[in-house]
């Protein structure tokens, strides 16, 4: 596969990693559908792509809805005639420990509620499932070569304070192996699936993170800085052309090694 002749849809394409992927693909000649929640984010990215001479459409949608994932896949195919690449970047964090204790009594003063648990599972896990499922359906029925890219996280190994997020991302990291195995079982040879597990990346998502915790975590990153979204996008672009990458989730972390142990 090459990006130049491809049609790509990117959820979460209005910000951060998704925005970098959408712009890189468009610069390399792909036709791009930018899917996100906020119309203003979508419009800005689509306008930037058009200004650089690329081709893009924007589709406002929520990845947690089956009706909406079907709609944005269909919308992409209607606009550009096919679909080859689906990158599932839409994601959120809602950090907190499962239990909080009262300092004086030592008793539980607060529990992680479903208000923090469920949206992360719905968007990061179910949203990825629905996006990849519906994109794969279109690729199979259209007979188009395809690449599915779920975005996991290095925190899939179990980051303290992220029971919700790490659980979702661990599940997402498993998807390529199972999806490709099922493709093999069904004789589907023209679609690959490669997951990407980024480390700490300089995007708006990190502004939602505990900044003291982030500072401490960066002490464990060998390159001593956040990863740039462009560096993640470059890896995803490489996955498009390198057919040997398949059924796996690749870490890109800047050398996150937890030399002092994972529990912070
Ligand atoms: P970001 O800058 O926050 O961008 C994520 C985008 O997804 C936002 O535009 C967000 O919209 C959108 N989104 C959220 N919920 C959605 C929904 N239900 N339907 C459609 N779009 C939705 O995040 P990012 O850092 O680029 O992260 C991209 C992916 O990489 C995520 O899956 C994240 O978990 C993963 N990741 C990030 C890092 C990191 O350090 N940044 C590390 C590892 C993995 P709103 O902003 O309007 O909610």
């Amino acid at each position: 596969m090459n990006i130049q002749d491809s049609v790509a849809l990117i959820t979460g394409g209005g910000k951060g990693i998704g925005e970098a992927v959408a712009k890189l693909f468009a610069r390399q000649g792909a036709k791009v559908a930018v899917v996100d929640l906020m119309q203003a984010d979508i419009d800005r990215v689509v306008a930037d792509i058009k200004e650089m001479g690329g081709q893009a459409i924007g589709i406002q949608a929520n990845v947690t809805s089956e009706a909406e994932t079907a709609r944005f896949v269909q919308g992409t195919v209607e606009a550009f005639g096919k679909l080859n690449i689906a990158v599932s970047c839409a994601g959120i964090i809602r950090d907190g420990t499962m239990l909080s204790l009262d300092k004086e009594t030592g008793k539980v003063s607060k529990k992680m509620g479903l208000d923090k648990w469920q949206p992360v599972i719905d968007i990061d896990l179910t949203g990825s499932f629905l996006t990849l499922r519906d994109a794969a359906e279109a690729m199979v029925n259209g007979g188009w070569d395809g690449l599915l890219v779920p975005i996991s996280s290095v925190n899939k190994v179990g980051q303290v304070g992220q029971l919700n997020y790490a659980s979702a991302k661990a599940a997402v990291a498993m998807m390529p192996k199972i999806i490709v195995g099922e493709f093999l079982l069904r004789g589907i040879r023209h679609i690959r699936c490669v997951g990407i597990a980024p480390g700490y990346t300089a995007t708006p998502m990190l502004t939602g993170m505990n900044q003291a915790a982030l500072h401490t975590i960066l002490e464990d990153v060998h390159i001593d800085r956040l990863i740039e979204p462009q560096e993640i996008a470059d890896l995803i672009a490489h996955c498009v052309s390198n057919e040997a990458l398949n059924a796996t989730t690749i870490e890109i972390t800047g050398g996150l090694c937890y030399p002092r142990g994972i529990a912070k």
Side-chain angles (χ1 to χ4, degrees):
M1 277 177 75
N2 65 66
I3 291 177
Q4 195 181 351
D5 303 321
S6 296
V7 172
L9 79 77
I10 296 112
T11 71
K15 277 198 202 109
I17 294 171
E19 176 178 350
V21 173
K23 289 180 174 174
L24 179 64
F25 280 9
R27 268 201 304 279
Q28 296 191 359
K31 294 170 182 148
V32 172
V34 177
V35 178
D36 213 303
L37 275 183
M38 304 301 292
Q39 194 65 49
D41 293 329
I42 296 167
D43 290 346
R44 182 181 51 77
V45 175
V46 169
D48 287 352
I49 288 174
K50 288 185 173 164
E51 204 175 291
M52 63 169 96
Q55 294 187 64
I57 57 164
I59 304 176
Q60 191 278 332
N62 186 329
V63 297
T64 64
S65 155
E66 271 194 302
E68 300 207 6
T69 53
R71 176 172 64 79
F72 66 67
V73 168
Q74 196 185 345
T76 306
V77 172
E78 277 170 14
F80 295 131
K82 61 176 185 169
L83 175 64
N84 306 107
I85 304 166
V87 187
S88 173
C89 283
I92 60 166
I93 50 174
R94 294 285 182 273
D95 293 354
T97 51
M98 185 177 75
L99 299 178
S100 302
L101 303 187
D102 184 279
K103 279 193 182 115
E104 282 175 14
T105 65
K107 304 275 190 208
V108 174
S109 58
K110 207 171 121 204
K111 300 185 281 190
M112 178 184 278
L114 283 178
D115 59 324
K116 277 198 170 177
W117 175 266
Q118 202 61 51
V120 174
I121 301 301
D122 288 348
I123 296 168
D124 296 16
L125 179 55
T126 308
S128 294
F129 160 65
L130 293 175
T131 300
L132 301 183
R133 183 197 68 178
D134 289 359
E137 179 187 25
M139 290 167 186
V140 169
N141 290 344
W144 307 307
D145 286 344
L147 176 68
L148 307 172
V149 184
I151 306 294
S152 178
S153 165
V154 72
N155 289 357
K156 69 187 184 304
V157 296
Q159 180 62 48
V160 168
Q162 293 192 322
L163 184 58
N164 46 6
Y165 184 75
S167 300
K169 293 299 185 180
V172 166
M174 196 54 65
M175 287 180 170
K177 186 87 39 198
I178 298 167
I179 289 172
V180 173
E182 291 184 3
F183 285 167
L184 197 52
L185 202 62
R186 301 290 182 215
I188 300 164
R189 299 281 190 163
H190 57 100
I191 309 171
R192 288 180 293 122
C193 182
V194 183
I196 303 295
Y200 294 89
T201 308
T203 73
M205 175 175 275
L206 285 199
T207 59
M209 213 189 140
N210 178 313
Q211 295 301 296
L214 180 61
H215 182 76
T216 312
I217 284 163
L218 276 181
E219 290 173 8
D220 289 342
V221 177
H222 188 244
I223 61 172
D224 196 26
R225 63 168 175 84
L226 294 172
I227 300 162
E228 290 302 323
Q230 184 64 42
E231 292 170 313
I232 311 286
D234 287 341
L235 175 60
I236 296 174
H238 177 72
C239 292
V240 174
S241 60
N242 190 336
E243 196 179 57
L245 292 170
N246 199 5
T248 191
T249 293
I250 304 168
E251 292 195 356
I252 170 166
T253 71
L256 179 60
C257 294
Y258 300 112
R260 288 168 289 273
I262 193 167
K264 292 284 178 193

